[in-house]
Amino acid sequence: TAITITEQPVSVSVPVGYSLTLRCRAQGRTSLQYQWFCQYQSDCRLIPGATNQDLPIIAEQTQLYTCRVNDLYRNAVFSDWVKVEVHQCVARGLPPRLWQGEPVIVLNPSEQRVEVGQPLQLQCAAMGVPAPSYQWYRNGNLLEQQKRKKLWITHTKVSDSGTYLCCVSNSHGEHWTNAVDVHIGRDEILPPADCFQLFHLVFVLATGKIALLVGNNRYQHHPNLMAPVRDVFELSRLLKHLGFQVVSLLD
């Protein structure tokens, strides 16, 4: 071919506001010209002024990118499409400056109880440069088909019960999510007598009056408050007069 791409851009997974650069390199018989494009949802558009080999980006929303390379003879090739995945749930300025792109898990799966025959979904997510890959395990055994952020089983069986976790990895290392238990079974209906006892227990617990007071004095980005200790003490005394059990915590 007249043009050969020698370095493809790579997908990344980063926090909102993160600065990064996508790279594309190519060789040809004549001088080469570059033009970057992006796609958000179904809209694909040229990026004005993005005519260099490198495309600097401040990540604001998840988008796809590709680079067109052409020569003086109107030959043209496109790079691979890559995804810049942006995690809106991660605060700006994170991860710290020392981050080298190793996987950082931002969402762990949660424990599930599912009736037999119903779908099961477990989900995790991680940042990484390049974007990390995913591999799910059950009871320490690799699940060959489960290589995405979301583990999905359409119709569960009892044998799908177990302890699940996911390995997230890229060229800088690997991290593991928390292990979570998944229980697959049939719903059990309590006998009427047990239902009555359960209802009575819930009613008794619900009628108890418990107050939790938290007095914070030391803040990282705010001046210390004037008198949270005194406020908690006064409010605790008032609530006790009203029949509450009071739990007081400071800082």
Side-chain angles (χ1 to χ4, degrees):
T1 59
I3 303 172
T4 302
I5 293 182
T6 57
E7 181 180 349
Q8 296 279 1
V10 297
S11 296
V12 300
S13 184
V14 295
V16 63
Y18 188 79
S19 297
L20 63 118
T21 300
L22 296 180
R23 293 167 50 89
C24 181
R25 298 290 187 271
Q27 293 179 345
R29 298 172 184 170
T30 68
S31 59
L32 301 177
Q33 298 175 330
Y34 294 78
Q35 176 63 61
W36 289 89
F37 295 79
C38 69
Q39 179 176 335
Y40 177 66
Q41 295 179 347
S42 59
D43 181 25
C44 180
R45 62 182 184 274
L46 175 150
I47 304 175
T51 56
N52 295 322
Q53 296 174 320
D54 295 341
L55 176 66
I57 296 172
I58 298 177
E60 297 294 342
Q61 61 187 1
T62 297
Q63 295 190 116
L64 299 176
Y65 293 85
T66 187
C67 184
R68 183 190 67 202
V69 185
N70 62 273
D71 63 14
L72 300 181
Y73 298 112
R74 297 184 180 181
N75 297 307
V77 295
F78 282 85
S79 72
D80 297 338
W81 281 97
V82 295
K83 177 187 285 189
V84 174
E85 181 182 34
V86 178
H87 293 275
Q88 301 289 344
C89 61
V90 181
R92 292 178 182 271
L94 294 177
R97 294 177 181 271
L98 296 178
W99 187 50
Q100 300 297 315
E102 67 275 9
V104 176
I105 293 172
V106 298
L107 176 64
N108 278 284
S110 57
E111 182 175 334
Q112 302 282 334
R113 289 184 177 273
V114 180
E115 189 176 358
V116 171
Q118 296 300 308
L120 168 66
Q121 177 178 286
L122 295 175
Q123 186 173 357
C124 70
M127 300 184 301
V129 180
S133 58
Y134 297 82
Q135 178 60 65
W136 287 89
Y137 294 78
R138 182 182 67 243
N139 299 331
N141 298 314
L142 183 146
L143 300 173
E144 287 285 353
Q145 305 303 318
Q146 303 292 351
K147 297 180 179 291
R148 298 186 177 183
K149 288 188 292 185
K150 292 183 180 180
L151 177 146
W152 178 260
I153 299 176
T154 307
H155 302 287
T156 55
K157 308 180 293 296
V158 173
S159 59
D160 292 321
S161 296
T163 301
Y164 287 76
L165 76 169
C166 186
C167 177
V168 184
S169 62
N170 66 8
S171 56
H172 296 290
E174 67 179 31
H175 282 275
W176 296 76
T177 66
N178 295 339
V180 296
D181 292 330
V182 173
H183 307 274
I184 311 295
R186 300 191 181 279
D187 290 339
E188 297 181 1
I189 301 176
L190 292 175
D194 291 342
C195 287
F196 176 78
Q197 292 180 4
L198 181 61
F199 172 78
H200 177 71
L201 176 62
V202 170
F203 178 78
V204 169
L205 291 175
T207 55
K209 296 190 294 183
I210 302 175
L212 171 64
L213 303 180
V214 181
N216 286 328
N217 182 50
R218 297 182 181 89
Y219 286 84
Q220 185 177 1
H221 301 294
H222 191 280
N224 290 351
L225 301 183
M226 294 298 294
V229 175
R230 185 187 64 195
D231 294 341
V232 167
F233 175 79
E234 293 293 338
L235 190 55
S236 173
R237 187 169 60 176
L238 174 62
L239 289 169
K240 286 179 179 177
H241 283 309
L242 296 175
F244 282 81
Q245 300 178 51
V246 180
V247 178
S248 299
L249 300 174
L250 296 175
D251 290 326

